[in-house]
Structures are given as structure tokens and as C-alpha cells.
Amino acid sequence: IDVISMGVDFSYFNPKYRDENWAVEEGLESPVFLFVGRIAEKKGLRYLIEAFSMEEIQQRKCSLLIVGDGPLKKELELYAKQTDVAGKIRFLGDVNHDGLKNIYASADVLCVPSIVAKNGDSEGLGLVLLEAAASGIPSIASDSGGISDIVKHNKTGFLVEQKNVQQLVDACIKYMDSSVLIKEHGLAAREF
């Protein structure tokens, strides 16, 4: 049996769109961690926001940019406002497809903290992981659904247990401590 997964357009999602001044122009501190997706339970965004509210991350230079909309957006914006003392988290809302290619290429790490929702819904392939990899950035993602088919632990990114906030924190810190590791994993992700 051969499995042929979805793909992405390499000419569209590409590191050539990286803008080294983007983070500063957007008022973001590097490294920039990125979430792209529907803001719904199975995406696990609450756990990522909790990770970014932890002291280990609040004390460091970094930002979390959240792109997307969904039924939990207002609730999670309020949660972030209450817990993000250092102001590291920004909700950008929906972004058109053309703007997304620049954001992927200019961010540093994609975060996909997906979980199995109460109704059993879980992440399938995770197209955003392919878009990020094609853009040359690594991912931190939950080891659930089809995610491990795309993210190879400690090669193209880091896999963490779903709902495990400390593992999210630890993976983020590994990238904060090494821009070389971000580049190595990003190149490996695009190659894979």
C-alpha cells in the first residue's frame, strides 16, 4: 500500500519570502513562534497560551503570533490577556493566502499543539505543517493524529505529548537557545 499525502506548492511556500525586518516592523520579539489554524478545541491553542504564560518563557525574548479565527477566539484572547503578563502573545485574526506565505517564511517556528477533542475529533494530516516545512521553518507539534507523519522528532521539529504544557515550554526554549537549531531543523523540514 502506498500513501500519497497532500502536498503544497513549493514556489508559493518558500523561504525566499523571508523578511528579516518583519518581526521588528510588526513589533514582535524574535524568535517568533507561530500558530496558524481554526481556533477550536482540537487545535489545543489553550495549552500553547498556557506555555507562553509560564515564567520560563515570560522572562525571555520571544513572541507568539496567532493567525486564524474560530469559536474559541474571544475566550482565548481573554485568557491570554489575563495570563500573558509580558505581552508576548498577539492575535492577528484571519490572513489572506498571499499574506500567509510571507508570515510562514518570516516566522521562526510553527506550533501545532493539537489534541483529541472531547467529541473525539483529532488532527488529520495538518496541512499547516507542510506549509511551514516548505517555507523552511521547523515545528513543535503534538504527537497525535497524522502529525508524526510530517514532524520527525529532533530532526524537522519537536513532538510533544498532547496537553503537556511543560513539554511545549521545553521545546520552545530549545529553539530560543539556538538559532542554529532553528535553521537546521527548518532546512531538514523543507528537504523532508
Side-chain angles (χ1 to χ4, degrees):
I1 297 172
D2 289 324
V3 176
I4 302 171
S5 63
M6 291 177 64
V8 294
D9 184 345
F10 263 46
S11 65
Y12 193 82
F13 294 103
N14 194 298
K16 71 182 179 184
Y17 295 110
R18 184 167 182 85
D19 178 353
E20 294 297 339
N21 298 318
W22 170 79
V24 173
E25 290 168 0
E26 292 294 322
L28 300 167
E29 285 190 308
S30 293
V32 177
F33 293 83
L34 176 67
F35 171 92
V36 177
R38 189 162 183 268
I39 303 177
E41 184 191 2
K42 79 172 183 179
K43 297 298 184 179
L45 182 56
R46 171 174 293 279
Y47 301 97
L48 185 59
I49 291 170
E50 186 177 342
F52 269 77
S53 72
M54 302 293 277
E55 189 175 348
E56 301 102 307
I57 290 184
Q58 288 282 300
Q59 292 177 340
R60 291 170 172 258
K61 285 190 170 188
C62 65
S63 298
L64 171 60
L65 183 63
I66 298 167
V67 176
D69 204 345
L72 295 180
K73 184 178 180 199
K74 287 184 180 177
E75 176 184 325
L76 292 181
E77 280 178 324
L78 179 61
Y79 178 57
K81 190 175 183 180
Q82 293 169 341
T83 60
D84 178 27
V85 178
K88 296 192 174 296
I89 302 171
R90 182 183 311 163
F91 284 78
L92 195 60
D94 279 332
V95 173
N96 68 34
H97 203 59
D98 205 44
L100 202 51
K101 71 179 182 188
N102 299 319
I103 291 173
Y104 274 123
S106 300
D108 297 293
V109 179
L110 178 72
C111 296
V112 182
S114 300
I115 64 168
V116 177
K118 291 174 192 155
N119 66 2
D121 193 13
S122 66
E123 195 72 63
L125 177 69
L127 192 60
V128 295
L129 293 161
L130 294 176
E131 293 169 347
S135 300
I137 67 169
S139 297
I140 297 170
S142 298
D143 192 1
S144 66
I147 290 173
S148 62
D149 291 339
I150 301 166
V151 179
K152 300 304 170 194
H153 184 67
N154 205 21
K155 290 186 174 61
T156 66
F158 291 113
L159 291 171
V160 299
E161 294 173 6
Q162 64 171 322
K163 301 181 182 180
N164 191 320
V165 173
Q166 190 58 53
Q167 284 187 7
L168 283 167
V169 169
D170 293 344
C172 288
I173 288 173
K174 285 178 185 173
Y175 283 133
M176 286 181 217
D177 287 346
S178 178
S179 60
V180 171
L181 188 62
I182 291 173
K183 287 179 183 165
E184 285 177 0
H185 283 185
L187 287 169
R190 184 167 165 83
E191 178 67 26
F192 179 73

